[in-house]
């Protein structure tokens, strides 16, 4: 049966982070869009860690924001804590992380979607994609409703043929207590799509009132926090602390004694889990020399009492979970509110899709998120934006857009997914980008907001704010480049007061050249320009500082990329000893040894082999030739 007045340009299936960004992007482009979700009360839900950002992931969030997406604004509006990670290292790897209020985040996103023109929301279980003559016609729900559309975006997360495990007991679920989607896999297999199985998991949630925080380390947020969105209208919220504890030898012995009850180690789970977020049983067995493992206790909400035990995901039975939790310092009397579990699910092999997240197997069909083998809310949201953008362009008979590796981490993510073999959940890292010194989180808006405007994703309000910021940035940059210092008593006095050598007679230097020095900050620039403290507070000082300091490095990195493209067909001897290259990452050594790529181009396409690993490999090959 057809729904009345039910013809849409785009239908998005799933209301997770990919689905929200896909539906929002599609509607912003003027496509009549329907977001269909199994439960509209779990829009943008955080079933695992309620946090946004972190290494490389914050780059994605800022790029999503620069393109007019929602994730950055939602995180800024609902944070419990904001902290810049890797602050002591170079700016290219600085990453902002927000511990989020999972309920407030979901409510904020729900309100934003309901307020978006051209977008309707509908609660239903989609059983199949409606296909005729090799093209998408819409979807069919479990109630037999046929809803027409020119394009469909599938963002089903872990729900396709999902199984939730606790010990050797399991249920058909996409998440705990939520039914799996059983009809979509056979529907797409009939078209020719190939699937694999992956696994992920989540730790137990604890009752805050049962924890002895006096035994735990306290980790506070930043006193002067950064934000994800460059939009100025954001609330200033009181930050909440996180805490930390460590496993003990008792913890490890409990796990070793009960490992036979793990569904993963007993063979009940076939799919591989995320390498960079292993379960506690994985940690104990894979790293037997480690005396302890670090766990963070993170609040899930400003109002509730539940604490997320980060780093302690497990699929062991509930009675063993109690033993593990209560073996941890400070948690001797802790009460579990929600048990941990693992979930195994079908994923669409992403090599069947192109960089626009559509496939030649089915016209008008797009996919995004964990369904395509990624892990993380941020990777899902970035894919969702791209899929929604291109689905809308397709439905409106317009040309789609392909993000490149050179312009964004979104491009890196999509290129990796669609060109590499994915056998385990993919996680974006800064080392995966050849141009990571250029693709920084601080310049995401300057890199991508003009593109977002051109594509139709950036509205007038955001564009006006960006244009004002860019104008101030460019005006100040010219001032730095064109203002030259000469040797005079006043200038030298200011330089010496900031531990800089005075200028000698006849020696001139631009302010940009001075700021390029690693030890010079903007405080000295303001002093030389005669600015008072706090004057021109809207000036993007930090961005200018980073851009000038990184200019030379970016130029050299681009030259390295150009050289790499010239040598990508360089052959690798069949018996080459990858294990002998001690500076390769452990994952790269393992995978290069397993797959034995014949040349550099093939080596670079292996998931887990980063551009940094390729550099080490090239040095090793050159050394072998010299020998």
């Amino acid at each position: 049966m057809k729904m009345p007045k039910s013809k849409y340009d785009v239908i998005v299936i799933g209301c997770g982070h990919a689905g929200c960004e896909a539906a929002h992007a599609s509607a912003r482009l003027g496509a009549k869009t329907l977001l269909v979700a199994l439960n509209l009360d779990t829009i943008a839900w955080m079933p695992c860690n309620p946090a946004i950002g972190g290494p490389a992931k914050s780059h994605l969030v800022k790029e999503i924001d620069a393109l007019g997406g929602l994730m950055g604004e939602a995180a800024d509006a609902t944070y419990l804590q904001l902290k810049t990670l890797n602050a002591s290292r170079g700016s290219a790897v600085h990453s902002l992380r927000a511990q989020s209020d999972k309920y407030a985040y979901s409510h904020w996103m729900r309100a934003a979607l309901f307020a978006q023109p051209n977008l309707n929301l509908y609660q239903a279980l989609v059983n199949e994609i409606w296909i005729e003559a090799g093209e998408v016609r819409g979807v069919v729900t479990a109630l037999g409703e046929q809803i027409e559309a020119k394009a469909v975006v599938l963002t089903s997360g872990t729900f396709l043929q999902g199984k939730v495990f606790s010990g050797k007991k399991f249920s058909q679920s996409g998440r705990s207590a939520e039914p799996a989607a059983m009809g979509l896999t056979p529907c797409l297999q009939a078209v020719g799509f190939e699937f694999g199985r992956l696994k992920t998991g989540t730790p137990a949630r604890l009752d805050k009132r049962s924890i002895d925080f006096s035994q735990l380390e306290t980790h506070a947020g930043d006193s002067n926090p950064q934000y994800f969105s460059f939009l100025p209208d954001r609330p200033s919220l009181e930050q909440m602390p996180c805490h930390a504890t460590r496993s003990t030898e008792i913890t490890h012995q409990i796990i070793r004694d009960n490992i036979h009850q793990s569904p993963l180690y007993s063979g009940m789970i076939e799919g591989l889990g995320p390498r960079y977020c292993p379960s506690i049983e994985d940690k104990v067995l894979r790293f037997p020399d480690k005396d302890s493992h670090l766990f963070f206790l993170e609040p899930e909400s400003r109002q509730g009492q539940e604490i997320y035990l980060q780093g302690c995901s497990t699929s062991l039975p509930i009675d063993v979970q109690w033993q593990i939790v209560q073996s941890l310092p400070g948690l001797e009397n802790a009460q579990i509110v929600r048990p941990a579990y693992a979930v195994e699910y079908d994923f669409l092999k992403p090599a069947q899709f192109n960089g626009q997240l559509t496939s030649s197997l089915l016209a008008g069909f797009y996919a995004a998120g964990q369904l395509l083998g990624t892990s993380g809310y941020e990777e899902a949201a970035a894919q969702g934006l791209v899929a929604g953008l291109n689905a809308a362009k397709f439905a409106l008979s317009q040309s789609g857009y392909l993000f490149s590796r050179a312009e964004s981490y979104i491009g890196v993510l999509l290129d990796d997914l669609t060109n590499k073999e994915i056998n385990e959940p993919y996680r974006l890292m800064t080392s995966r980008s050849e141009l990571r010194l250029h693709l920084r989180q601080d310049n995401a808006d300057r890199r991508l907001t003009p593109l977002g405007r051109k594509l139709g994703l950036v509205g007038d309000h955001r564009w006006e704010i960006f244009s004002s910021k860019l104008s101030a940035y460019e005006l100040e940059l010219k001032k730095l480049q064109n203002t030259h210092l000469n040797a005079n008593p006043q200038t030298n006095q200011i330089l010496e007061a900031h531990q800089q050598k005075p200028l000698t007679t006849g020696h001139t230097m631009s302010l940009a050249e001075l700021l390029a020095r690693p030890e010079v900050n903007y405080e000295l620039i303001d002093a030389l320009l005669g600015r008072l403290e706090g004057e021109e507070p809207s000036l993007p000082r930090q961005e200018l500082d980073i851009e000038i300091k990184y200019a030379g490095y970016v130029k050299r990195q681009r030259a390295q990329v150009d050289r790499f493209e010239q040598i990508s067909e360089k052959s690798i001897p069949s018996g080459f000893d990858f294990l002998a290259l001690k500076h390769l990452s452990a994952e790269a050594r393992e995978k290069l040894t397993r797959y034995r790529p014949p040349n550099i181009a093939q080596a670079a396409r292996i998931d887990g082999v980063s551009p940094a690993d390729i550099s080490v490999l090239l040095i090793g090959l050159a050394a072998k030739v010299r020998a």
Side-chain angles (χ1 to χ4, degrees):
M1 59 181 174
K2 294 183 180 179
M3 288 180 61
K5 300 179 182 178
S6 59
K7 190 167 185 178
Y8 290 88
D9 293 314
V10 176
I11 293 175
V12 177
I13 305 170
C15 67
H17 302 277
C20 289
E21 296 291 353
H24 185 243
S26 173
R28 273 182 293 158
L29 290 178
K32 185 181 180 184
T33 305
L34 179 69
L35 175 62
V36 183
L38 182 63
N39 185 353
L40 291 179
D41 294 330
T42 57
I43 286 175
W45 199 240
M46 297 183 179
C48 201
N49 194 353
I52 298 295
K57 294 172 180 285
S58 66
H59 294 65
L60 284 179
V61 181
K62 284 180 172 282
E63 290 183 354
I64 291 167
D65 180 72
L67 292 166
L70 294 172
M71 179 171 266
E73 287 187 77
D76 287 351
T78 61
Y79 65 87
L80 300 175
Q81 186 187 99
L82 290 167
K83 195 175 189 69
T84 295
L85 308 180
N86 299 326
S88 62
R89 300 171 61 190
S91 298
V93 294
H94 286 182
S95 59
L96 178 61
R97 182 181 185 273
Q99 187 68 26
S100 298
D101 186 319
K102 67 187 297 182
Y103 301 104
Y105 187 99
S106 177
H107 293 160
W108 189 99
M109 192 70 76
R110 177 188 172 97
L113 293 177
F114 270 111
Q116 175 61 45
N118 301 317
L119 177 60
N120 292 337
L121 283 74
Y122 187 60
Q123 183 165 295
L125 171 63
V126 174
N127 260 2
E128 62 179 285
I129 310 296
W130 178 9
I131 302 168
E132 290 183 4
E135 295 182 356
V136 162
R137 284 290 308 279
V139 302
V140 181
T141 73
L143 298 178
E145 302 162 292
Q146 288 183 316
I147 312 175
E148 290 187 60
K150 299 174 184 175
V152 169
V153 181
L154 181 60
T155 67
S156 53
T158 62
F159 280 79
L160 293 194
Q161 309 272 20
K163 283 186 180 180
V164 164
F165 290 84
S166 180
K168 295 185 179 180
K169 295 182 179 180
F170 70 88
S171 62
Q172 294 284 355
S173 302
R175 288 195 296 246
S176 180
E178 297 184 67
M182 305 302 292
L184 287 169
T185 295
C187 170
L188 291 170
Q189 283 175 327
V191 178
F193 283 100
E194 294 182 14
F195 288 83
R197 294 287 278 179
L198 291 177
K199 168 254 180 189
T200 189
T202 190
R205 271 59 160 188
L206 310 179
D207 189 328
K208 179 180 179 180
R209 299 167 299 177
S210 65
I211 298 170
D212 181 2
F213 288 97
S214 66
Q215 295 190 53
L216 307 180
E217 301 173 17
T218 300
H219 293 258
D222 292 341
S223 57
N224 185 26
Q226 303 295 310
Y227 296 91
F228 287 108
S229 179
F230 68 81
L231 297 181
D233 301 324
R234 62 175 74 93
S236 179
L237 304 173
E238 181 182 357
Q239 298 199 57
M240 298 177 67
C242 296
H243 297 83
T245 188
R246 304 193 73 95
S247 62
T248 66
E249 177 52 33
I250 295 174
T251 312
H252 298 180
Q253 192 58 49
I254 291 168
I255 292 167
R256 288 191 290 265
D257 290 344
N258 291 280
I259 196 64
H260 62 284
Q261 300 192 66
S262 165
L264 180 62
Y265 283 87
S266 65
M268 292 180 68
I269 294 178
E270 301 172 4
L272 289 176
R275 175 185 297 263
Y276 305 101
C277 189
S279 66
I280 181 57
E281 51 264 42
D282 275 344
K283 293 177 186 177
V284 170
L285 294 186
R286 285 168 52 190
F287 307 104
D289 55 321
K290 293 202 70 171
D291 295 331
S292 66
H293 296 279
L294 182 65
F295 303 138
F296 286 97
L297 288 86
E298 301 173 330
E300 289 206 319
S301 171
R302 200 170 290 277
Q303 307 300 326
Q305 297 295 327
E306 291 184 51
I307 297 293
Y308 181 90
L309 188 58
Q310 184 195 359
C312 197
S313 64
T314 181
S315 58
L316 287 166
I318 183 60
D319 61 321
V320 181
Q321 293 183 36
W322 279 96
Q323 296 177 54
I324 292 171
V325 167
Q326 294 187 342
S327 73
L328 304 176
L331 306 186
E332 293 85 353
N333 298 305
Q335 296 295 304
I336 294 176
V337 177
R338 302 176 197 251
Y341 63 87
V343 57
E344 186 185 38
Y345 55 95
D346 286 350
F347 80 103
L348 275 164
K349 293 186 176 181
Q352 301 168 101
F353 293 79
N354 60 31
Q356 295 183 6
L357 296 182
T358 189
S359 174
S360 60
L361 290 172
L362 182 57
F365 178 67
Y366 297 76
Q370 274 188 282
L371 172 69
L372 286 186
T374 60
S375 66
Y377 309 138
E378 302 83 359
E379 287 93 338
Q383 293 172 71
L385 185 148
V386 173
L389 159 71
N390 286 307
K393 293 286 189 183
F394 173 86
L396 299 174
S397 301
Q398 299 173 7
S399 298
Y401 186 78
L402 179 66
F403 288 83
S404 76
R405 298 183 70 96
E407 71 183 346
S408 64
Y409 270 99
I410 293 175
V412 173
L413 167 67
L414 298 174
D415 187 62
D416 280 356
L417 277 181
T418 55
N419 288 291
K420 293 187 175 186
E421 182 183 12
I422 303 297
N423 293 313
E424 60 188 57
Y426 173 95
R427 177 179 175 179
L428 187 67
M429 296 176 289
T430 53
S431 62
R432 295 190 188 273
S433 171
E434 307 90 324
L435 290 171
R436 57 190 172 277
L437 298 182
H438 170 57
L439 303 180
R440 305 184 307 275
Q441 62 173 15
D442 64 272
N443 65 12
D445 57 340
R446 285 183 281 118
R447 286 188 282 114
L448 293 178
T449 299
L451 171 63
R453 182 68 170 179
K454 180 180 178 181
L455 293 172
L457 293 169
V458 172
D460 293 341
H461 175 65
R462 179 181 289 269
W463 183 248
E464 288 173 8
I465 293 171
F466 170 75
S467 298
S468 177
K469 177 185 174 182
L470 183 63
S471 177
Y473 174 93
E474 292 176 340
L475 188 64
E476 181 74 359
L477 181 60
K478 288 181 180 178
K479 182 181 290 187
L480 295 172
Q481 293 169 336
N482 296 331
T483 302
H484 287 77
L485 303 175
N486 298 300
N488 61 65
Q490 183 181 6
T491 295
N492 283 339
Q493 183 179 2
I494 294 172
L495 290 171
E496 290 177 324
H498 288 80
Q499 289 76 52
Q500 294 295 306
K501 291 182 179 180
L503 297 176
T504 57
T505 303
H507 182 205
T508 63
M509 174 185 292
S510 72
L511 290 178
E513 291 172 315
L514 179 63
L515 188 57
R517 296 179 178 179
E519 72 278 8
V520 172
N521 58 33
Y522 229 93
E523 182 182 346
L524 173 54
I525 302 300
D526 283 340
L528 290 166
L529 289 172
R531 291 177 177 146
L532 299 175
E533 185 176 352
E535 190 176 344
E536 298 187 62
S538 62
L539 197 65
R541 288 173 167 80
Q542 184 181 31
E543 293 180 27
L544 285 157
D545 187 3
I546 294 171
E547 188 68 33
I548 288 173
K549 282 181 168 59
Y550 268 74
Y553 299 110
V554 170
K555 184 177 180 180
R556 286 197 292 272
Q557 193 171 76
R558 284 190 179 277
Q560 290 172 352
V561 171
D562 291 341
R563 286 197 300 271
F564 173 77
E565 290 177 350
Q566 295 172 8
I567 61 173
S568 62
E569 296 305 317
K570 182 179 178 64
S571 63
I572 302 173
S574 59
F576 188 80
D577 186 5
F578 299 105
L579 298 177
L581 299 180
K582 63 180 181 179
H583 294 298
L584 279 177
S585 68
E587 182 180 2
R589 287 198 298 271
E590 173 195 331
K591 291 191 172 181
L592 288 168
T593 301
R594 185 197 312 168
Y595 294 117
R596 291 283 167 191
N599 55 45
I600 292 296
Q602 290 295 319
R605 290 192 178 97
I606 297 173
D607 183 47
V609 176
S610 70
D613 292 320
I614 294 297
S615 296
V616 173
L617 178 56
L618 286 169
I619 293 171
L621 289 170
K624 184 175 178 63
V625 170
R626 289 195 299 270

